[in-house]
Amino acid sequence: MLPQLLVSAVESCGDAVAVVAGGRSLSYRELDEVSSRWARWLISRGVGPGDAVVVAVPRSLESVVVLWAVVKSGATFVPVDPGYPAERVEFMVSDSGAVLVVTVSSVVDAVSVSCPSAVPVVVFDDAGVVSEVAGLSSRPVSYADRVRSVELVDAAWMIYTSGSTGRPKGVVVSHAGVAPLISAEREHFGVDGSSRVLHVCSPSFDVSLLELLVGFSAGASVVVAPAGVGGGPELAELIAAERVSHVFMTPGALGSMDPVGLDSLSTVVVAGEAFTPELVRRWSVPGVRRFFNAYGPTETTILATSSSELVPGSVVSIGSAIAGVGCFVLDERLRPVPEGVVGELYVAGAQVARGYHGRVGLTSSRFVADPFSSSGGRMYRTGDLVRRGGDGVLEYVGRSDFQVKVRGFRIELGEIDAVLSSLPGVGFAVTVGSVLASGESALVSYVVAESGVVLESGVVRERVAGVLPGYMVPALVVVLDEVPLTPVGKVDRGALPEPVFAVREFRAPRSVLEESVASVVASVLGLGRVGLDDSFVDLGGNSLAATRVVARLSSVVGVRVPVSVVFEVGSVEELAARIEKLVSG
């Protein structure tokens, strides 16, 4: 059971440092005590197993305490990024059936506006609440203390993923699959009491829970990255300063950093998207730093497979099933395909989630009966196409549907299309995944205006940004006169025009600094040249590409260039001017 995880760690290493964040830290005993008080506060308000508690707290010491408080109460933990658009947050709170929303004062205004009036919002650092909690017992929470006992079938957490109907869907993960996952991954990745595990993933990316649970289950120290840091030189500096030994992150985030100087880093695990052998070459140091590739949909409790240690020259694969998981490569009739033949990957075992909250039809279509089980088990149909080698290792080939992954987030393109189609004047929309010259994944949306309406792509994109989280906002919106169709009337995606990311009439750099800025932007985005009037964002740049830009520019000019500056300016010329001010002090 998940509530027992922290209890076990406290019993074995109570005085060890459990969590470090922003110059503050808590030992396992201190974390146990403060989270037990909070759990009792929740229980005193009737919160327990079967109840959903939304946690809208930026990554911090507080977010860790709230996680453990909710877990100890037996309730279902529902993480929500407080930076998401208000409409999306409101939907998640309503759809989850949350009985309570926990947030902090720094974001309470935005969160409160997004919450239905019937759902109470509790501010973790409110003086009155802090005083109430401080008066409660810090002793461990027992089964008798809870509203009712926690069962293996109860929901441990609910993570929202993109939904093809235009709304996100909540994946309900039970306690049954958590312990096997944590035990297997702790052993596989060599996490123990001497480890220092980085917590850097977004709360809406389920790997964030893996970071915490693997670390705490081993009695390791978890180092929390500030909420605004997701890659680049700032994250590298934190890893070096805090002597982090283990990281779990997307290939894109890892690629935004330079491994030079990160001598403490002994284990790197990437997951969430494809990557090239070059990343292995840069980060794998046999005998010094181990490199793994892991795979797993949210519907299979974070991870389902992992590679063995990858070294320079290794064939990149998603590896084989972790202990307790069954991976089957099947054809359309659920029959195993021969080795080397492409089929769809199905995952079975205790880690398969309960299903989608409130979506019976969708659950039944993706969670199917396991024909290889003698006890009535289920499989999750991943939609991923793979082939199995003679050694049992799985090679990822692609998707069987229209899902794509951007920065580690799985995206249902239909959700973006639904939002676009709901905008005034948009008669039709279709979104596709594209690969930039830089190798970055990008979303491109094609729209057709209603009769008599003139659409401006920039305006459409801005409106989408007000509804969807940043990783789902298309990098480019293309306005079409008509939709290309196949003979049977379906959208002919192959006939959609190639996206052309805006490059204005070339105006050459005039100084050494402007030349450096233009050269770095062009190199990172994989473009031949970039002029003074070109915009990083209009050229298809995203947050991870921005971290690479500022890392290189910081090295060139000798001062740190914040990632935010790249998005605050409109052109290369303006970016160079801002950097010049930073250099001059």
Side-chain angles (χ1 to χ4, degrees):
M1 291 289 193
L2 191 53
Q4 294 302 116
L5 189 150
L6 183 59
V7 172
S8 299
V10 172
E11 292 173 348
S12 61
C13 50
D15 294 326
V17 175
V19 58
V20 179
R24 298 181 295 160
S25 66
L26 290 174
S27 69
Y28 274 91
R29 183 166 288 105
E30 290 169 331
L31 178 56
D32 181 48
E33 291 175 351
V34 67
S35 59
S36 291
R37 289 192 177 97
W38 263 98
R40 281 196 163 75
W41 189 89
L42 292 171
I43 293 169
S44 70
R45 280 151 180 77
V47 175
D51 294 325
V53 176
V54 165
V55 177
V57 180
R59 192 174 56 235
S60 59
L61 194 72
E62 288 76 13
S63 68
V64 174
V65 172
V66 177
L67 163 64
W68 280 114
V70 174
V71 166
K72 286 183 174 184
S73 75
T76 305
F77 177 75
V78 187
V80 171
D81 190 333
Y84 277 179
E87 182 180 334
R88 193 175 184 85
V89 174
E90 181 179 9
F91 175 82
M92 291 179 177
V93 174
S94 298
D95 184 73
S96 66
V99 299
L100 200 68
V101 174
V102 181
T103 188
V104 288
S105 57
S106 61
V107 296
V108 65
D109 291 341
V111 172
S112 296
V113 169
S114 307
C115 291
S117 58
V119 182
V121 177
V122 177
V123 182
F124 180 87
D125 51 351
D126 175 81
V129 177
V130 170
S131 178
E132 286 184 41
V133 173
L136 300 176
S137 171
S138 64
R139 62 181 173 81
V141 177
S142 68
Y143 287 104
D145 293 323
R146 299 188 183 101
V147 174
R148 70 168 175 82
S149 61
V150 182
E151 307 293 339
L152 283 174
V153 295
D154 285 327
W157 62 71
M158 188 191 308
I159 298 268
Y160 276 85
T161 65
S162 179
S164 59
T165 61
R167 294 291 189 179
K169 54 186 184 290
V171 180
V172 181
V173 173
S174 71
H175 288 274
V178 175
L181 166 76
I182 299 307
S183 176
E185 297 312 300
R186 185 178 64 236
E187 180 177 352
H188 186 61
F189 300 129
V191 182
D192 58 29
S194 66
S195 302
R196 293 177 70 82
V197 181
L198 183 67
H199 176 42
V200 68
C201 291
S202 163
S204 295
F205 186 23
D206 57 359
V207 175
S208 64
L209 291 169
L210 179 70
E211 295 170 326
L212 295 171
L213 299 180
V214 167
F216 289 135
S217 70
S221 297
V222 173
V223 177
V224 183
V229 176
E234 290 176 284
L235 184 60
E237 288 178 13
L238 177 69
I239 291 172
E242 293 293 346
R243 304 294 297 167
V244 169
S245 62
H246 290 68
V247 298
F248 301 82
M249 58 177 57
T250 64
L254 184 68
S256 71
M257 298 187 296
D258 188 337
V260 175
L262 303 185
D263 301 330
S264 65
L265 201 53
S266 63
T267 304
V268 172
V269 184
V270 293
E273 59 189 358
F275 60 94
T276 65
E278 171 63 16
L279 197 68
V280 182
R281 188 194 66 76
R282 290 184 63 212
W283 286 90
S284 173
V285 184
V288 177
R289 182 186 300 134
R290 302 187 303 159
F291 187 103
F292 298 91
N293 182 32
Y295 160 89
T298 303
E299 291 86 346
T300 62
T301 311
I302 310 175
L303 295 184
T305 74
S306 176
S307 70
S308 55
E309 181 181 351
L310 297 178
V311 299
S314 295
V315 175
V316 174
S317 73
I318 61 173
S320 54
I322 64 175
V325 174
C327 287
F328 305 105
V329 186
L330 309 177
D331 63 15
E332 64 277 3
R333 295 187 179 181
L334 301 186
R335 298 173 303 188
V337 300
E339 291 179 1
V341 175
V342 174
E344 185 170 355
L345 178 61
Y346 287 74
V347 177
Q351 288 180 223
V352 173
R354 280 183 8 190
Y356 300 114
H357 179 67
R359 308 283 185 90
V360 176
L362 183 60
T363 296
S364 63
S365 69
R366 304 301 295 188
F367 296 84
V368 299
D370 181 358
F372 311 104
S373 171
S374 59
S375 57
R378 297 179 308 147
M379 303 186 297
Y380 173 66
R381 179 184 180 185
T382 69
D384 288 322
L385 300 178
V386 301
R387 63 167 63 91
R388 193 189 300 274
D391 55 0
V393 170
L394 299 169
E395 176 191 353
Y396 178 82
V397 176
R399 288 291 302 176
S400 63
D401 53 24
F402 296 132
Q403 286 185 351
V404 299
K405 279 195 173 182
V406 174
R407 305 206 296 271
F409 291 94
R410 188 180 63 188
I411 297 171
E412 292 272 10
L413 298 178
E415 181 173 359
I416 302 173
D417 296 341
V419 171
L420 285 164
S421 299
S422 70
L423 299 178
V426 176
F428 178 85
V430 60
T431 303
V432 300
S434 182
V435 179
L436 303 175
S438 63
E440 298 281 346
S441 297
L443 299 171
V444 179
S445 294
Y446 297 85
V447 298
V448 177
E450 293 179 343
S451 178
V453 176
V454 177
L455 292 176
E456 293 184 19
S457 58
V459 174
V460 173
R461 188 174 182 276
E462 288 178 6
R463 289 176 176 171
V464 173
V467 179
L468 296 175
Y471 66 88
M472 293 183 69
V473 176
L476 181 66
V477 175
V478 180
V479 180
L480 301 176
D481 293 329
E482 60 182 6
V483 183
L485 300 175
T486 65
V488 297
K490 295 184 178 182
V491 177
D492 187 351
R493 293 171 180 260
L496 292 169
E498 285 293 320
V500 178
F501 293 93
V503 178
R504 297 175 174 82
E505 183 177 345
F506 183 73
R507 187 160 65 94
R510 301 157 301 188
S511 67
V512 174
L513 179 57
E514 288 179 343
E515 176 62 41
S516 296
V517 173
S519 176
V520 167
V521 171
S523 175
V524 170
L525 296 183
L527 301 173
R529 68 176 185 177
V530 169
L532 289 179
D533 297 315
D534 291 323
S535 163
F536 172 81
V537 174
D538 291 345
L539 292 172
N542 56 34
S543 59
L544 288 178
T547 60
R548 296 192 181 101
V549 168
V550 299
R552 296 188 189 182
L553 289 176
S554 298
S555 176
V556 170
V557 301
V559 299
R560 176 183 290 175
V561 180
V563 173
S564 59
V565 170
V566 178
F567 295 99
E568 291 170 359
V569 300
S571 67
V572 166
E573 183 178 31
E574 293 174 10
L575 178 56
R578 288 287 294 275
I579 293 174
E580 188 171 17
K581 289 183 179 179
L582 292 173
V583 173
S584 61

